[in-house]
Amino acid sequence: MGDRETEAGVITGEPAAVVSEDDSSSVSSSDRADEEQPSDMQRHHHHHKKHRHRHTKSKCLCCCKSGAKHKKSEEEKNLDHVDKSTMWTFWFRLLNSPAKCLKSRGKDGYMADTNSTNGLTPTTYLLEHEDKLDDGWHDCSTFPCGSLIVVLTWIAIIGATIYFPMKFVNATNLNFKPPRGSAAELANDQYKQYFPDSGGSLPMLVLISVTEDAPNTTTVLSPWVKNATDYIVTSLMESEYASRMYSIVGHYTLNTTSNYTGLLVTPDQKMTIISLSYSISTAGFGIVEFVRDVLDTLNLSNNSYLCEVTGQEPLFLDMNIAVELDLLKMDLISFPLAMVIIGLVLRSSTLIIIPILNVIICNIVSFGLMYPIALVLDVASYCPPVMMSITVALNIDYCLFLLTRYQEELRAMKPHSAAVYAMLKHSGSIIVTSGGILLFCFLSLCLFPLSFISSFGISTAITLGCTLLINTSLTPSLLLLFSGFFSSPFPCLKRCRRSYKPSKLNAKTNSGDKPSESDYGVARSTSPSSAEIQPTGKCSEYTLKFWKKYSAILTQDWRASLCIAIAVVICFVPVIYYFRFYTTSYNDTQVLPSESASMDCLVHLQEGWPAGIISPYTVLVVSNRSIYTPATYQTLDAFAQDIAANVGGSNNLAESYAKYSLGITIDSVTSISNIMGRTISWPEAMVLLLVDSPYRDLCGAMVSTTENATLVTVITNFDPSSNISGFVTAMRVYTDAYSKDGFEFYLKSQYCDENDAVDRVLEMFPFITGVAGFLVLLLLAVAFKSLVVPLRTLLTVFLSMGFVFGLVVMVFIKGYFSPLIEPLPDGIYWFSPIIAFVLLLGLALDYDVFLFSRINELRLAGYAPKQAVALGLQMSGPIVIFAGIIMAVAFGALLFSLIDVVLQMGFFLTAGVLEFTFVQCCLFIPCIVALLQNSNWLPRLHIPITKFVTP
């Protein structure tokens, strides 16, 4: 005869009546009076609700009937206090509300209702006794509305942000804003004051060149080129960008072929340029795409000429295209490989859906949240690829930590809700601790006074924050909502198949029989966390044997541990030695895509003009009198002669400035007094202003409307980004020297902005990283209540950093792997090591925390120090390796980038993660922790040993 209970007890919390199946068909009126009287069992429940007598086992029903009082042990009292005060208990109650219904079957087959648990709500009883539930306990689930609310909330967030991810990619740039109070900021402010209409834009250069297939007599001084110039000008002036154009300067726009066009046409007359200046603040990439469409039309009309465009905005546009390609590569390479790896670990076709959803949702939300930030802050163009890599790596890693623990708890014959709670309680706390340390490291980048770097801190912090929120809210919610679906194992390879059978288990449970251990395929766990439980089968058996022997070698004999640790240090020293050859580069070609239309045009352009033509330096000269005076012309000419001669001129500055070699000629200096190396005196200039319209147009572009400020353009014969610091320092020596007698000279360029920003960043880098490192180590000391853990972590982290940076020098500077990765003769771009150091610091601590957390958990549970290390390595080692491989695959996709700086960061992160995984976590750290033994927990030296592992 079966029993059944009403739903009232589940919903209201009141005791549900147990009715016999025979009696339930008809109830006479004479019996209704009896029904109104409370039964003995109901009186029993009422008594316990009133006095809140809390019992720990379902079998206390017997002792309660006889009036006996159940006495809690000290361990149970401590467990009750800890569970009720933890964040995870509160969070689980929210997710699992309304409460789960638990049933217990006694030996006589009697079905006790939910509230037979001594007045406690079912969820409270489950939380307080999740480690002590009998095998007869199983779930009779009501619908978890809290989890449903979480899922619906994430759906709403996705709907609000799904439109913005690609807009965010297009809103990124490579703009440098100089630090406050710097010389570059002062020059920019003065420039905006006197030339507000220029928009601060560098010119976009259109290159028209003769192709190789054209006849030898073909030149750019031809009617076709003149018509092409007119077509470009007409198209722009009739477009929506007409009001945004500042100037259009070309050979045929000046209406002359002699005096002022030498810089616009090469001596062999095979190439000419047209300079387009416009407001970048409003035009954006639209004008670049428009110009490219116009040039494509011209290229189709004549095969003898090739029309190309380059400049800051075209390069930025190609950068965004390269970033989109990098994201596509990650979608096609790293993400599928990472999913294959986690699929091999979980071996479940249902659970693997969760990391896929988490990665997709995290990408949409984090990219969507960054879009409004990119509208008000300059976000670096290579933030999206790094965000994508972090999203894939951390989401899959955190899912791996959570879901493997969830499976372990199920194999330990825990109810589904108890498995989810244990997953949150143990693995959830670990990922929050490690994620918090990572978040702290990422946010430290926001302290740098450069949006180019601080945007990395904001973007990575938002990505990590979304990852933590998704994995601690959406993952358990999905498991609670679809418990039957996600608890079904994947029928994988026969020899590796999970041996517990849910159908058989559920059948026995529902029939009233107590499941046996053979139904689960595993023995009951004797560890406090059930973490030793592993799937059965030959594959798992071999894996367990390997890790057991491997951990014994590393930890049981102190001599072996010491020798292994010393061997690791000895192997690292030669690689660390190469760090002394580290050099920093400011070459901006490393931040641009190596294969793009704008870069190809730049290469062609430098064949006919000085390398600095794409990014000339501008000197702003402000006078307390009119520019059109003899004194101004004499001062400008003297300045041009001095910087061209390199060792002084009319002002006898040779002795002071001989150490600065500017590498420019007088032909490279353009001002109202110097054009193409020709000096124009004040009387001649007055005549030209009256009769020569090209000179008048030139003065109109280089003199302010107030006529008390003018510009001097300096084009270097070398790549201006190859030696930014030296050139800017030298030029400022000259501008400071000439800032007298009523004149003020200001040097303005994007390289000045970058120079001052880099100087400020390098000045603050030791302080910021030092403070961040100290606070992180302090956090570790508080988290583990140990003074030794931070010191040991400091040793392992800096050993790893030295190895990774030395390896980078061997690859990118020494070129020892040149067939695979081409060396960079200029050195590593200055930006890469700053970002890589902070990211590697966080990732190193992340893996360290995950491994030592399990060791710490076992030690506090009563295992001896060496046994705790060995067991911790056995339980965490496989997961750490798979997590490291997944993260290396995610970051490894950056190695396929066309942008050198992204490739460099990819190598930094990939090499670092692999070193953390296979050397530090699986070799060096276990040996050091085993050598330190009880010293790891200083000042707590007297942690009792209550559990032993038999060999």
Side-chain angles (χ1 to χ4, degrees):
M1 180 182 298
D3 295 328
R4 70 181 180 209
E5 60 181 358
T6 65
E7 296 295 324
V10 176
I11 299 174
T12 65
E14 294 298 321
V18 180
V19 185
S20 171
E21 199 169 292
D22 295 337
D23 298 336
S24 63
S25 57
S26 61
V27 181
S28 64
S29 59
S30 60
D31 294 332
R32 288 175 184 169
D34 298 333
E35 286 184 5
E36 294 176 359
Q37 301 298 324
S39 64
D40 292 340
M41 183 59 65
Q42 288 174 330
R43 292 193 190 96
H44 169 75
H45 294 319
H46 177 73
H47 170 77
H48 280 279
K49 285 186 67 179
K50 181 176 180 181
H51 297 283
R52 295 290 188 250
H53 286 246
R54 299 192 174 187
H55 296 266
T56 58
K57 292 188 178 181
S58 60
K59 295 177 183 177
C60 289
L61 291 172
C62 302
C63 68
C64 290
K65 271 188 174 183
S66 60
K69 227 176 183 181
H70 178 76
K71 209 169 187 180
K72 285 187 179 183
S73 66
E74 196 66 30
E75 182 181 357
E76 291 173 294
K77 292 179 180 178
N78 293 336
L79 179 64
D80 289 349
H81 172 73
V82 171
D83 281 341
K84 287 193 290 185
S85 63
T86 59
M87 171 188 68
W88 298 111
T89 301
F90 173 75
W91 181 236
F92 179 77
R93 284 172 175 168
L94 290 179
L95 294 179
N96 204 34
S97 59
K100 294 252 179 186
C101 166
L102 295 178
K103 296 178 182 178
S104 175
R105 299 181 184 276
K107 291 182 179 179
D108 57 353
Y110 170 73
M111 175 74 73
D113 60 80
T114 302
N115 288 304
S116 64
T117 55
N118 309 315
L120 298 179
T121 63
T123 304
T124 304
Y125 191 92
L126 171 67
L127 299 180
E128 293 188 358
H129 308 289
E130 53 99 9
D131 287 331
K132 304 177 178 63
L133 293 177
D134 283 343
D135 298 334
W137 289 93
H138 67 284
D139 292 335
C140 175
S141 302
T142 58
F143 198 75
C145 293
S147 298
L148 179 61
I149 293 174
V150 169
V151 172
L152 293 177
T153 301
W154 280 110
I155 292 175
I157 294 174
I158 294 170
T161 56
I162 195 171
Y163 179 68
F164 301 108
M166 292 312 300
K167 284 183 171 290
F168 162 61
V169 175
N170 294 327
T172 59
N173 56 63
L174 290 176
N175 293 333
F176 277 93
K177 285 187 177 179
R180 293 183 178 180
S182 63
E185 184 189 45
L186 178 61
N188 291 342
D189 292 341
Q190 292 292 323
Y191 182 83
K192 292 177 182 178
Q193 178 181 347
Y194 290 101
F195 295 90
D197 297 333
S198 67
S201 172
L202 291 173
M204 179 167 58
L205 299 179
V206 174
L207 173 64
I208 302 177
S209 59
V210 177
T211 61
E212 296 179 355
D213 298 333
N216 293 332
T217 57
T218 305
T219 67
V220 293
L221 302 180
S222 65
W224 188 91
V225 175
K226 183 179 185 304
N227 294 334
T229 303
D230 294 339
Y231 178 71
I232 293 172
V233 174
T234 303
S235 299
L236 283 170
M237 300 313 295
E238 293 178 354
S239 69
E240 59 181 305
Y241 307 105
S243 60
R244 303 169 183 175
M245 297 304 300
Y246 180 62
S247 65
I248 302 177
V249 180
H251 176 78
Y252 288 104
T253 63
L254 292 177
N255 297 321
T256 181
T257 58
S258 56
N259 293 331
Y260 312 109
T261 59
L263 284 177
L264 302 177
V265 180
T266 56
D268 60 0
Q269 299 180 354
K270 296 295 184 181
M271 290 188 287
T272 184
I273 57 174
I274 303 172
S275 176
L276 310 176
S277 296
Y278 59 94
S279 174
I280 60 175
S281 60
T282 55
F285 294 141
I287 190 172
V288 178
E289 295 172 344
F290 178 80
V291 170
R292 283 182 171 174
D293 291 339
V294 171
L295 298 183
D296 289 341
T297 303
L298 292 174
N299 288 330
L300 293 175
S301 64
N302 194 326
N303 294 329
S304 298
Y305 297 94
L306 176 63
C307 300
E308 304 170 278
V309 64
T310 189
Q312 179 174 298
E313 291 297 297
L315 289 168
F316 286 177
L317 176 59
D318 288 342
M319 162 72 82
N320 287 344
I321 295 174
V323 167
E324 292 176 5
L325 290 176
D326 290 344
L327 296 177
L328 180 62
K329 291 174 184 176
M330 293 178 190
D331 290 338
L332 298 178
I333 299 175
S334 63
F335 184 58
L337 285 177
M339 296 313 303
V340 168
I341 295 172
I342 194 173
L344 292 175
V345 179
L346 297 177
R347 286 180 284 183
S348 171
S349 61
T350 54
L351 286 178
I352 201 173
I353 296 175
I354 294 180
I356 294 175
L357 289 176
N358 288 1
V359 170
I360 295 174
I361 294 172
C362 187
N363 270 326
I364 294 173
V365 175
S366 59
F367 276 52
L369 292 177
M370 280 300 298
Y371 174 65
I373 296 176
L375 296 179
V376 297
L377 181 72
D378 289 327
V379 178
S381 295
Y382 25 88
C383 279
V386 177
M387 289 176 63
M388 181 72 171
S389 296
I390 291 176
T391 297
V392 174
L394 292 183
N395 272 283
I396 296 181
D397 275 6
Y398 288 168
C399 279
L400 182 65
F401 299 155
L402 291 170
L403 297 180
T404 51
R405 189 57 179 255
Y406 167 72
Q407 289 181 324
E408 289 169 359
E409 298 298 331
L410 287 181
R411 294 188 205 104
M413 297 189 291
K414 295 289 183 66
H416 181 268
S417 297
V420 175
Y421 171 67
M423 176 193 76
L424 283 174
K425 178 182 174 183
H426 299 292
S427 294
S429 59
I430 291 175
I431 68 172
V432 167
T433 301
S434 62
I437 293 174
L438 269 174
L439 187 64
F440 188 86
C441 293
F442 292 166
L443 288 176
S444 66
L445 292 173
C446 300
L447 301 177
F448 288 99
L450 179 62
S451 60
F452 201 68
I453 294 181
S454 61
S455 63
F456 255 89
I458 295 173
S459 60
T460 52
I462 287 178
T463 303
L464 179 57
C466 292
T467 299
L468 289 174
L469 289 175
I470 290 171
N471 280 276
T472 55
S473 62
L474 185 62
T475 297
S477 297
L478 291 175
L479 292 175
L480 291 172
L481 279 173
F482 308 102
S483 57
F485 176 76
F486 287 116
S487 60
S488 300
F490 175 69
C492 63
L493 297 177
K494 187 173 182 180
R495 58 187 301 186
C496 294
R497 182 178 300 180
R498 307 223 184 264
S499 56
Y500 73 92
K501 301 176 177 57
S503 59
K504 181 179 178 181
L505 172 64
N506 293 337
K508 281 197 172 187
T509 305
N510 293 332
S511 64
D513 298 331
K514 180 177 177 179
S516 63
E517 294 177 356
S518 61
D519 294 329
Y520 292 89
V522 293
R524 292 297 299 269
S525 173
T526 58
S527 73
S529 60
S530 307
E532 293 94 332
I533 300 299
Q534 299 288 342
T536 59
K538 293 184 178 180
C539 293
S540 300
E541 183 181 353
Y542 296 151
T543 302
L544 287 174
K545 286 183 178 179
F546 167 78
W547 282 104
K548 186 175 181 179
K549 292 181 179 179
Y550 180 73
S551 60
I553 293 173
L554 294 182
T555 61
Q556 298 309 310
D557 189 347
W558 70 268
R559 290 180 291 267
S561 302
L562 181 62
C563 290
I564 293 172
I566 293 175
V568 170
V569 175
I570 292 175
C571 292
F572 274 28
V573 167
V575 180
I576 297 174
Y577 172 78
Y578 276 93
F579 182 66
R580 66 188 296 266
F581 301 107
Y582 180 86
T583 56
T584 301
S585 171
Y586 297 90
N587 194 337
D588 283 348
T589 58
Q590 293 191 26
V591 303
L592 300 172
S594 57
E595 299 178 6
S596 64
S598 56
M599 280 298 293
D600 292 341
C601 180
L602 181 60
V603 172
H604 296 159
L605 188 68
Q606 292 176 349
E607 295 174 0
W609 284 271
I613 194 172
I614 190 68
S615 302
Y617 286 84
T618 300
V619 178
L620 172 65
V621 181
V622 180
S623 175
N624 58 2
R625 61 183 74 91
S626 174
I627 289 297
Y628 298 113
T629 61
T632 302
Y633 274 75
Q634 291 175 5
T635 302
L636 292 177
D637 180 57
F639 177 76
Q641 296 292 340
D642 261 343
I643 61 176
N646 299 326
V647 290
S650 60
N651 290 315
N652 298 319
L653 301 176
E655 211 172 295
S656 301
Y657 306 150
K659 60 181 179 179
Y660 300 112
S661 178
L662 303 186
I664 58 177
T665 63
I666 193 63
D667 295 343
S668 303
V669 182
T670 302
S671 68
I672 60 175
S673 66
N674 298 87
I675 301 176
M676 296 175 53
R678 175 189 171 192
T679 299
I680 300 176
S681 63
W682 177 78
E684 182 182 2
M686 296 301 99
V687 175
L688 292 175
L689 285 172
L690 296 175
V691 301
D692 195 329
S693 61
Y695 182 78
R696 190 164 54 245
D697 294 340
L698 178 65
C699 290
M702 301 189 71
V703 178
S704 66
T705 56
T706 58
E707 295 188 355
N708 67 332
T710 185
L711 301 177
V712 179
T713 301
V714 180
I715 299 175
T716 60
N717 293 326
F718 57 88
D719 185 356
S721 66
S722 60
N723 185 22
I724 293 179
S725 181
F727 186 82
V728 171
T729 301
M731 283 294 296
R732 283 177 174 169
V733 170
Y734 286 92
T735 56
D736 292 343
Y738 276 88
S739 295
K740 61 183 180 179
D741 300 331
F743 292 98
E744 294 291 337
F745 282 68
Y746 302 94
L747 182 65
K748 178 188 179 302
S749 170
Q750 63 171 346
Y751 299 116
C752 296
D753 299 346
E754 183 176 353
N755 177 77
D756 290 358
V758 172
D759 288 346
R760 185 70 61 85
V761 167
L762 295 180
E763 178 184 346
M764 298 184 64
F765 179 73
F767 173 75
I768 292 177
T769 54
V771 172
F774 173 78
L775 293 178
V776 167
L777 295 178
L778 183 63
L779 180 62
L780 286 175
V782 173
F784 293 108
K785 300 178 182 179
S786 169
L787 299 176
V788 176
V789 170
L791 299 178
R792 193 263 308 157
T793 302
L794 191 66
L795 169 65
T796 57
V797 167
F798 279 97
L799 189 65
S800 298
M801 292 291 186
F803 175 82
V804 172
F805 276 76
L807 188 62
V808 167
V809 172
M810 295 173 64
V811 173
F812 288 99
I813 296 179
K814 293 299 182 179
Y816 291 154
F817 299 91
S818 57
L820 297 176
I821 300 178
E822 291 298 326
L824 301 171
D826 296 333
I828 306 298
Y829 191 65
W830 68 269
F831 175 78
S832 300
I834 294 176
I835 299 297
F837 180 86
V838 176
L839 295 180
L840 288 175
L841 176 63
L843 293 174
L845 293 173
D846 181 54
Y847 280 84
D848 196 322
V849 166
F850 177 72
L851 177 62
F852 190 76
S853 293
R854 185 58 70 96
I855 296 174
N856 184 64
E857 177 187 346
L858 293 168
R859 179 68 186 95
L860 297 181
Y863 288 93
K866 288 187 177 181
Q867 291 183 346
V869 177
L871 287 175
L873 186 59
Q874 291 176 35
M875 291 182 277
S876 301
I879 299 177
V880 167
I881 286 181
F882 281 114
I885 293 174
I886 290 171
M887 190 168 287
V889 168
F891 290 134
L894 299 175
L895 297 174
F896 297 95
S897 176
L898 298 176
I899 306 170
D900 285 340
V901 68
V902 177
L903 186 149
Q904 292 168 22
M905 289 199 305
F907 188 88
F908 268 111
L909 298 176
T910 304
V913 166
L914 291 176
E915 192 275 337
F916 300 151
T917 302
F918 291 98
V919 179
Q920 294 297 333
C921 287
C922 294
L923 198 64
F924 191 71
I925 292 177
C927 291
I928 296 298
V929 175
L931 286 171
L932 294 174
Q933 295 197 46
N934 280 323
S935 300
N936 288 286
W937 289 270
L938 279 173
R940 295 182 298 169
L941 291 176
H942 303 291
I943 302 176
I945 300 176
T946 59
K947 297 182 180 181
F948 301 88
V949 178
T950 56

